[in-house]
Amino acid sequence: MTAHKNDTNPTGVSDFLLNCFVRSPSWQLWLSLPLSLLFLLAMGANAILLITIRMEASLHEPMYYLLSLLSMLDIILCLTVIPKVLAIFWFDLRAIGFPTCFLQMYIMNSFLAMESCTFMIMAFDRYIAICHPLRYPSIITDQFVVKAATFILVRNVLIPLPIPILSARLHYCGRNVIENCICANMSVSRLSCDDVTVNRLYQFAGGWTLLGSDLVLIFLSYTLILRAVLRLKAEGAVAKALSTCGSHFILILFFSTILLVFILTHVAKRKVSSDVPILLNVLHHVIPAALNPIVYGVRTQEIKQGIKKLLKKGW
């Protein structure tokens, strides 16, 4: 299919077409219902969590502010990806404008890195709470949350910025069909007639610098937490400490596992269907978003009580 020409656009492309599971059309039918339910669950659960933390005075603490930030990131990531995928499934609206595509690319790269960074700050919060409990109120303050949020925003707004810029500067001379459900950097870049080595290297280096460093620090925090927990002598102290950081660890483990599986399927793409990494990429934007508020709501007594109070007020 040929690209639509646009005289004001140096690349010669004014829009792209997203080829979403065209090799497996039955996937669109079977995925549309669970994907739409997961999307509604993610939106609803995160909205309830944000309202609960906002309305309940007892939840106005640094840990819950970080959780609010995570919920906002989840909502934005979901809204960036899932409505477009469902529009393709239901109405075959495969066209996506040139600027919209690169904006989606930027938000996905930036906000996924923000989420990873938030998990890292939350792991540090749990490390201080369990390994240095007496110093916790003086270290993890509202001011700490403001500084952490500023760091999360600045780092993850600036470092991924060259990714869409490099892709947008490429010359797209004919093909405009993206073999993906979303505007992933390499799926878009490979359509160009130019050399994309710089794009590949920056995507790889940027991804491993941001997500890789976060995951190393997260697992280092939990290793130190586990070591400190196993030294506790008081009865029930181990169970209480593990319960305190258990929900964080479950979500971080899921976040990193789905990312790892996605990378491995890309590496072994000759052995698996090309639709598998695409599916994992789509699910990675909705499943953690749906799970995060549920896991915290179920495992955190204060949030559970806050939701009950909110529901009572509502009734």
Side-chain angles (χ1 to χ4, degrees), residues 251-264:
L251 296 173
I252 290 160
L253 202 62
F254 186 82
F255 179 85
S256 53
T257 303
I258 199 165
L259 207 60
L260 188 64
V261 171
F262 172 63
I263 292 162
L264 290 174

Side-chain angles (χ1 to χ4, degrees), residues 66-86:
L66 290 171
L67 194 52
S68 296
L69 178 60
L70 190 66
S71 278
M72 284 189 279
L73 295 174
D74 280 335
I75 287 170
I76 294 165
L77 269 171
C78 253
L79 287 171
T80 304
V81 172
I82 306 304
K84 181 61 184 174
V85 175
L86 291 174

Side-chain angles (χ1 to χ4, degrees), residues 47-65 68 300-314:
I48 288 168
L49 190 65
L50 283 169
I51 294 164
T52 303
I53 292 169
R54 173 77 181 87
M55 302 290 283
E56 189 55 47
S58 64
L59 299 177
H60 293 176
E61 291 178 13
M63 188 179 95
Y64 301 111
Y65 293 146
S68 296
T300 311
Q301 198 61 37
E302 292 85 354
I303 290 176
K304 212 187 287 185
Q305 287 170 352
I307 291 169
K308 282 177 185 173
K309 282 184 189 175
L310 195 70
L311 290 171
K312 280 177 186 174
K313 282 179 189 173

